[in-house]
Amino acid sequence: MTFSLKCVANCGLVLAILDIIHGISTLAFYGYQFYTHYSCRWNHGIRWCQYYLEHTNHSTRVNIGIGEGVVCLLFASLLIVALCKYEPWLAWAWLLKALAVVGVNGYFIIIWVMEKSHHYHQFWDRHNYDQDNIFLYAGIVLTLMELFIMFTFCCVAGSFTYKVGDGEDLEVRKERVPTMETDI
């Protein structure tokens, strides 16, 4: 079964739309966390709040997460342009973003799991543990979404690159008319 270049590009566009949804959800989650962390309504005061945010890497992760959401939206738009203009090198540039997102999320997941396993913050209250779990589970879900999109993208981009290399659907092929000067 063979697929046309247009079919492969449309499948890539669906992946780009999923990546836009991933970027919007990342931006929404970390934007909400930015608002709740920096308004700090906890009853232990602003000094303790800043101490908690700095020692759990939540404030760093929130700032990086907002940047990650913006970069996801930019690279998803770049992927849409690459698929519509049939530019495989531009489509493969999207993979750099996916690897960076998986790397950043993986780093923070590993750090948070290591801190939980060492009971590093055992003197904090239940709200702090819940907050740690929210960040940990959100990081895992966002990473799994990105991995799914990335592995599917590699299949689609490989097929897209192969189809563009063949020149399929890119230009109307001229009908060869035999003349006296060319052999048939």
Side-chain angles (χ1 to χ4, degrees), residues 18-159:
L18 285 176
D19 195 42
I20 287 175
I21 293 170
H22 176 262
I24 290 172
S25 62
T26 302
L27 209 66
F29 174 74
Y30 288 114
Y32 175 75
Q33 292 301 326
F34 181 82
Y35 170 73
T36 58
H37 276 68
Y38 290 106
S39 62
C40 196
R41 294 185 216 130
W42 299 337
N43 55 2
H44 46 65
I46 193 70
R47 184 173 179 195
W48 178 251
C49 184
Q50 289 172 348
Y51 176 77
Y52 168 73
L53 292 176
E54 290 302 319
H55 283 280
T56 57
N57 289 331
H58 288 179
S59 60
T60 306
R61 184 61 187 121
V62 165
N63 294 334
I64 291 173
I66 290 173
E68 176 186 325
V70 171
V71 167
C72 281
L73 293 175
L74 292 175
F75 271 83
S77 302
L78 181 74
L79 181 60
I80 290 173
V81 169
L83 292 168
C84 291
K85 298 289 184 180
Y86 300 115
E87 294 291 338
W89 66 271
L90 196 57
W92 282 105
W94 178 88
L95 192 60
L96 296 173
K97 185 273 309 179
L99 291 173
V101 166
V102 169
V104 166
N105 284 334
Y107 169 76
F108 280 104
I109 289 170
I110 289 170
I111 294 297
W112 290 330
V113 167
M114 287 173 50
E115 286 178 355
K116 278 185 156 302
S117 67
H118 290 288
H119 303 289
Y120 181 67
H121 306 295
Q122 62 187 347
F123 58 91
W124 288 343
D125 62 2
R126 182 73 188 152
H127 181 271
N128 298 354
Y129 286 118
D130 291 342
Q131 197 66 21
D132 283 344
N133 288 336
I134 288 171
F135 272 88
L136 184 63
Y137 293 141
I140 290 171
V141 168
L142 291 173
T143 303
L144 290 176
M145 281 178 54
E146 189 66 33
L147 283 172
F148 170 74
I149 294 170
M150 184 174 68
F151 287 135
T152 309
F153 169 79
C154 286
C155 297
V156 170
S159 179

